[in-house]
């Protein structure tokens, strides 16, 4: 049986990532962690946005609910991380299912508006909930872990594993029967329904997976920053990045968000340090609008177009050669 | 604690607030309700309106309402420009659902960041003689900082309703959402009509922004709180019906005021979302529905 090059590549990435924690200094893991966080968010957004064609503006809400699940568990019993992560996935998966169930039977735009407003209401809830610190915020105290150089290195490796898992899941959804059903919904929902595609069930699967994945991305956030308060957890930049990364990379396949996240994430970390963090936000916004308007298929689409163009040129040249001969 | 005094004041405060909400939602009611363009950046344009009014108020001492009205032509032109880009990039190619939404989301974000870059994240406020004064009729308090926006909003809503129902171009705007082909056969250019309508929609944002900053201090990310609110109002109002929009705005204003008085101020922001969700689940065509 032939193994897709994806798996050895994923394994190699993970091994290199783990090895790197022993050679580079702390800054790279902090930056790398943030890039990976963006990558998971982008991959999750794209399952609904790119594969199914429904826009989620409330990514920050799902992310923050993942983070707050961690805070609640930490305050209550402080369980190990391998309990926290699945718990966040379940909470946010259910949140996605609920939001989808209430609004996905209507036109897609209502879902988009509902998710946007939902993020704001969830923020209000967290501000009013004393148990998780309310508006003041909550502290998380982390303990040292064996084997790893530092706690951040440990979180980076965890995040790397989660990111690879997320991409693998998105890749599976992309190629599976479910993925074909989702693509059918994106292209023409009525036609898909008529052809016997269970549209509502597939849409609900895809919102649930999206929510769960975003929850996972947020679950480690309290441990990473060690202090959570509503304004930074529900930050708009999380939602903007989740949309901008797939849009810039290309939304139609699982590869797009990965490329977009690695590129945009790295650019952001670079500008934050070398220019300013406000300008960094402006760059993200301008890139998003620019790509959406001028290159709707993203970088993947541009690359495909370029490949087609060079092939055409080559064929034309061959045609010229044979004509002159 | 549950006195007539408190109750009537909460009701009046809610009506005043609701009137102001109508001004904020009015532009979206035209753009989203009539043209079917999901301009989620509308509240961000309202904030932009607040800041240009703030600028002229501090630098030149202009009255905020007057400044808001004077800026409408500029916002109208901005609206026409935004619509032209939207049309060329998205509507013509049939990509409005995913890419168009992302486009407006990006615009909203850019507006917010640009305002932060220029003015920072501090709260800004305007000065006028009537701000801080209160009119008292019996047991009812009518603060001018709420009364002036209410009256201005009512005047603007009335004017727009009149324009849409009585003039040729106004009716053409209503027609473009109903039957584009028929409108073309009547000799009107749908793209021109839509640019006009989008321009008017954004022009109301300049006035709404002025009203917003009269009511209270404004900071750049303020617009986000209004997204749920304005969409709740427009959808509850029945997508583009001006009467419905006004009624829905008053309804949400009063509910928020009651929640604020009897439950707690920090819960008021959740009201609009609950109304929105309830509307979508129970009656997606709104109060004055056309579906």
């Amino acid at each position: 049986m032939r193994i897709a090059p994806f798996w050895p590549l994923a394994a190699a990435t993970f091994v290199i990532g783990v090895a790197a924690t022993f050679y580079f200094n702390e800054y790279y893991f902090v930056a790398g962690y943030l890039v990976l966080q963006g990558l998971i968010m982008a991959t999750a957004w794209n399952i609904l946005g790119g594969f199914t064609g429904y826009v989620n503006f409330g990514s920050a809400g799902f992310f923050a609910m993942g983070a707050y699940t961690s805070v609640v568990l930490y305050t209550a019993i402080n369980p190990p991380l391998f309990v926290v992560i699945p718990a966040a996935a379940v909470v946010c998966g259910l949140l996605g299912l609920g939001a989808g169930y209430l609004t996905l039977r209507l036109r897609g735009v209502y879902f988009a508006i509902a998710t946007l407003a939902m993020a704001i209401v969830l923020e209000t809830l967290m501000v009013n909930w004393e148990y998780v610190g309310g508006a003041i915020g909550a502290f998380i105290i982390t303990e040292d872990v064996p084997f790893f150089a530092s706690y951040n290195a440990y979180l980076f490796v965890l995040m790397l594993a989660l990111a690879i898992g997320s991409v693998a899941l998105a890749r599976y959804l992309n190629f599976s029967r479910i993925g074909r059903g989702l693509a059918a919904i994106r292209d023409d929902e009525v036609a898909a329904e008529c052809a016997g595609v269970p549209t509502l069930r597939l849409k609900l699967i895809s919102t649930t997976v999206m929510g769960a994945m975003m929850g996972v991305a947020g679950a480690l956030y309290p441990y990473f920053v060690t202090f959570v308060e509503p304004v930074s957890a529900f930050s708009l930049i999380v939602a903007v990045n989740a949309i901008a990364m797939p849009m810039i990379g290309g939304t139609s396949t699982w590869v797009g968000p990965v490329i977009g996240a690695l590129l945009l994430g790295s650019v952001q970390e670079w500008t934050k340090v070398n220019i300013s963090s406000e300008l960094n936000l402006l760059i993200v916004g301008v890139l998003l609008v620019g790509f959406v308007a001028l290159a709707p298929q993203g970088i993947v689409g541009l690359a495909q177009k370029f490949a087609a163009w060079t092939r055409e040129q080559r064929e034309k040249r061959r045609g010229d050669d044979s004509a002159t001969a | 604690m549950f006195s007539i005094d408190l109750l009537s004041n909460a009701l009046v405060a809610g009506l005043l607030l609701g009137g102001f909400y109508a001004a904020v939602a009015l532009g979206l009611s035209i753009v989203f309700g009539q043209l079917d363009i999901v301009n989620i950046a509308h509240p961000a344009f309202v904030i932009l309106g607040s800041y240009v009014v703030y600028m002229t108020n501090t630098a030149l001492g202009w009255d905020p309402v007057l400044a808001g009205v004077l800026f409408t032509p500029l916002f109208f032109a901005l609206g026409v420009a935004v619509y032209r880009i939207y049309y060329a990039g998205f509507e013509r190619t049939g990509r409005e659902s995913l890419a168009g939404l992302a486009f407006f989301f990006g615009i909203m974000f850019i507006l917010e960041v640009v305002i932060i870059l220029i003015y920072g994240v501090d709260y800004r406020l305007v000065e006028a003689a009537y701000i801080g004064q209160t009119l008292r009729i019996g047991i009812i308090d009518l603060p001018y900082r709420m009364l002036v926006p209410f009256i201005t909003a009512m005047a603007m809503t009335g004017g727009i309703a009149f324009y849409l129902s009585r003039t040729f171009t106004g009716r053409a705007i209503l027609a473009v959402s109903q039957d584009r082909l028929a409108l073309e056969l009547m000799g009107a250019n749908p793209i021109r009509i839509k640019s006009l309508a989008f321009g008017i929609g954004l022009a109301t944002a300049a006035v709404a922004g002025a009203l917003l900053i009269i009511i209270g201090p404004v900071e750049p990310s303020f617009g986000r709180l209004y997204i749920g609110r304005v969409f709740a109002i427009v959808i509850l109002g029945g997508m583009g019906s001006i009467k419905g929009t006004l009624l829905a705005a008053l309804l949400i204003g009063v509910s928020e005021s009651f929640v604020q008085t009897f439950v707690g101020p920090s819960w008021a922001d959740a009201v609009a979302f609950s109304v929105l969700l309830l509307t979508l689940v129970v009656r997606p065509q709104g109060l004055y529905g056309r579906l």
Side-chain angles (χ1 to χ4, degrees):
Chain A
M1 197 186 97
R2 196 176 147 270
I3 299 174
F6 174 78
W7 294 108
L9 209 65
T13 311
F14 184 71
V15 172
I16 293 170
V18 174
T21 57
F22 295 100
Y23 291 99
F24 292 102
N25 75 35
E26 194 83 341
Y27 165 74
Y28 292 97
F29 306 120
V30 174
Y33 176 92
L34 288 171
V35 172
L36 290 171
Q37 176 185 303
L39 195 151
I40 299 179
M41 292 297 290
T43 301
W45 186 90
N46 200 47
I47 289 174
L48 192 66
F51 297 175
T52 325
Y54 279 81
V55 182
N56 169 17
F57 284 127
S59 310
F62 289 99
F63 174 83
M65 287 319 281
Y68 271 103
T69 306
S70 293
V71 174
V72 170
L73 286 175
Y74 175 83
T75 324
I77 44 173
N78 192 11
L81 287 182
F82 67 83
V83 178
V84 172
I85 296 168
V90 169
V91 168
C92 296
L94 288 176
L95 193 65
L97 184 66
Y101 188 75
L102 290 178
T103 55
L104 278 178
R105 278 166 300 176
L106 301 161
R107 283 170 55 210
V109 25
Y110 290 132
F111 177 76
I113 298 161
T115 50
L116 190 57
M118 185 191 75
I120 292 157
V121 169
L122 289 174
E123 188 174 343
T124 313
L125 280 175
M126 292 305 122
V127 168
N128 284 299
W129 195 14
E130 293 296 328
Y131 189 71
V132 292
I136 302 160
F139 281 100
I140 298 263
I141 296 156
T142 56
E143 291 146 19
D144 277 343
V145 281
F147 181 70
F148 290 101
S150 68
Y151 200 80
N152 279 340
Y154 168 62
L155 285 180
F156 170 78
V157 169
L158 266 181
M159 208 60 171
L160 186 61
L162 291 172
I164 291 172
S166 304
V167 173
L169 182 60
R171 180 174 172 274
Y172 165 75
L173 282 177
N174 199 177
F175 293 137
S176 68
R177 210 182 140 73
I178 295 175
R180 288 198 297 276
L182 296 178
I185 294 172
R186 178 186 62 205
D187 294 337
D188 192 333
E189 189 158 345
V190 178
E193 181 86 54
C194 294
V197 176
T199 52
L200 183 61
R201 197 196 310 160
L202 284 180
K203 283 191 286 187
L204 289 178
I205 290 175
S206 104
T207 38
T208 310
V209 172
M210 172 211 68
M213 217 181 254
M214 287 184 173
V216 165
L220 294 183
Y221 177 75
Y223 296 89
F224 178 67
V225 290
T226 68
F227 172 68
V228 187
E229 46 87 36
V231 175
S232 61
F234 286 91
S235 156
L236 189 63
I237 182 72
V238 174
V240 174
N241 265 333
I243 296 175
M245 286 167 174
M247 283 291 178
I248 289 170
T251 52
S252 49
T253 59
W254 63 273
V255 195
V258 176
I259 294 174
L262 292 178
L263 219 63
L264 190 60
S266 316
V267 168
Q268 280 178 29
E269 292 311 315
W270 188 85
T271 41
K272 239 191 255 176
V273 175
N274 293 296
I275 308 172
S276 84
S277 55
E278 273 85 28
L279 209 66
N280 159 43
L281 300 182
L282 189 62
I283 291 171
V284 179
V286 171
L287 277 178
L288 170 61
V289 171
F291 262 93
V292 164
L294 303 173
Q297 303 301 319
I299 293 172
V300 170
L302 289 180
Q304 282 167 347
K305 237 181 240 168
F306 181 73
W309 181 78
T310 47
R311 203 178 312 124
E312 205 173 277
Q313 291 296 311
R314 206 180 311 127
E315 263 155 33
K316 203 188 280 170
R317 209 175 306 128
R318 199 173 301 141
D320 289 348
D321 288 349
S322 56
T324 47
Chain B
M1 56 165 269
F2 206 86
S3 61
I4 297 289
D5 210 29
L6 201 60
L7 196 72
S8 50
N9 269 308
L11 181 67
V12 170
L15 288 173
L16 293 181
L17 187 68
F20 158 68
Y21 284 168
V24 181
L26 194 59
L28 193 72
S29 175
I30 299 172
V31 167
F32 179 45
Q34 299 294 348
L35 311 184
D36 230 3
I37 300 171
V38 192
N39 180 12
I40 53 168
H42 189 77
F45 282 107
V46 172
I47 301 298
L48 183 70
S50 291
Y51 273 86
V52 294
V53 168
Y54 162 76
M55 197 177 71
T56 51
N57 182 264
T58 44
L60 308 165
W62 289 3
D63 177 79
V65 176
L66 178 73
V69 173
L70 287 178
F71 270 108
T72 51
L74 201 68
F75 272 64
F76 178 83
L78 188 65
V80 172
V82 169
Y83 177 71
R84 291 288 163 150
I85 297 172
Y86 176 76
Y87 174 74
F90 308 101
E91 206 167 67
R92 203 183 33 165
T93 47
R95 298 194 299 122
E96 58 266 54
S97 59
L98 186 73
L101 274 171
F103 170 72
F104 282 116
F105 191 65
I107 288 195
M108 167 181 112
F109 189 64
I110 290 175
L111 281 173
E112 189 177 321
V113 173
V114 167
I115 294 174
I116 290 177
L117 279 175
I118 300 173
Y119 291 103
V121 290
D122 301 331
Y123 278 90
R124 305 283 171 173
L125 51 110
V126 288
E127 279 168 22
Y130 48 82
I131 296 175
Q133 311 276 349
T134 300
L135 181 70
R136 280 192 71 108
I137 302 172
I139 52 163
I140 311 265
D141 283 334
L142 293 169
Y144 281 108
R145 65 172 186 89
M146 299 299 296
L147 197 60
V148 170
F150 178 79
I151 293 167
T152 317
M154 287 305 111
M156 184 164 76
T157 310
I160 295 279
F162 180 81
Y163 171 75
L164 287 179
S165 58
R166 293 280 182 275
T167 61
F168 178 79
T169 46
R171 287 187 193 174
I173 291 173
L174 297 183
V176 80
S177 64
Q178 286 169 11
D179 196 335
R180 209 189 130 136
L181 185 66
L183 182 74
E184 263 175 285
L185 296 175
M186 301 299 286
N189 177 358
I191 306 310
R192 255 201 57 220
I193 296 294
K194 281 187 161 190
S195 313
L196 180 77
F198 201 99
I200 292 171
L202 275 205
T204 66
V207 178
L211 304 183
L212 178 67
I213 203 165
I214 291 174
I215 287 180
V218 170
E219 53 105 11
S221 67
F222 221 56
R224 273 184 251 158
L225 278 178
Y226 279 85
I227 296 172
R229 219 168 260 159
V230 290
F231 275 98
I233 290 170
V234 172
I235 295 170
L236 181 64
M239 299 289 285
S241 151
I242 300 297
K243 199 170 31 162
T245 303
L246 180 61
L247 199 68
L250 292 174
L251 204 71
I252 286 188
V254 171
S255 341
E256 277 191 12
S257 172
F258 277 129
V259 168
Q260 197 161 1
T261 314
F262 299 110
V263 185
S266 45
W267 289 104
D269 294 333
V271 171
F273 177 71
S274 319
V275 172
L276 175 67
L277 213 57
L278 213 67
T279 313
L280 289 182
V281 174
V282 180
R283 197 175 160 82
Q285 72 270 39
L287 294 173
Y288 286 86
R290 62 174 177 87
L291 202 70

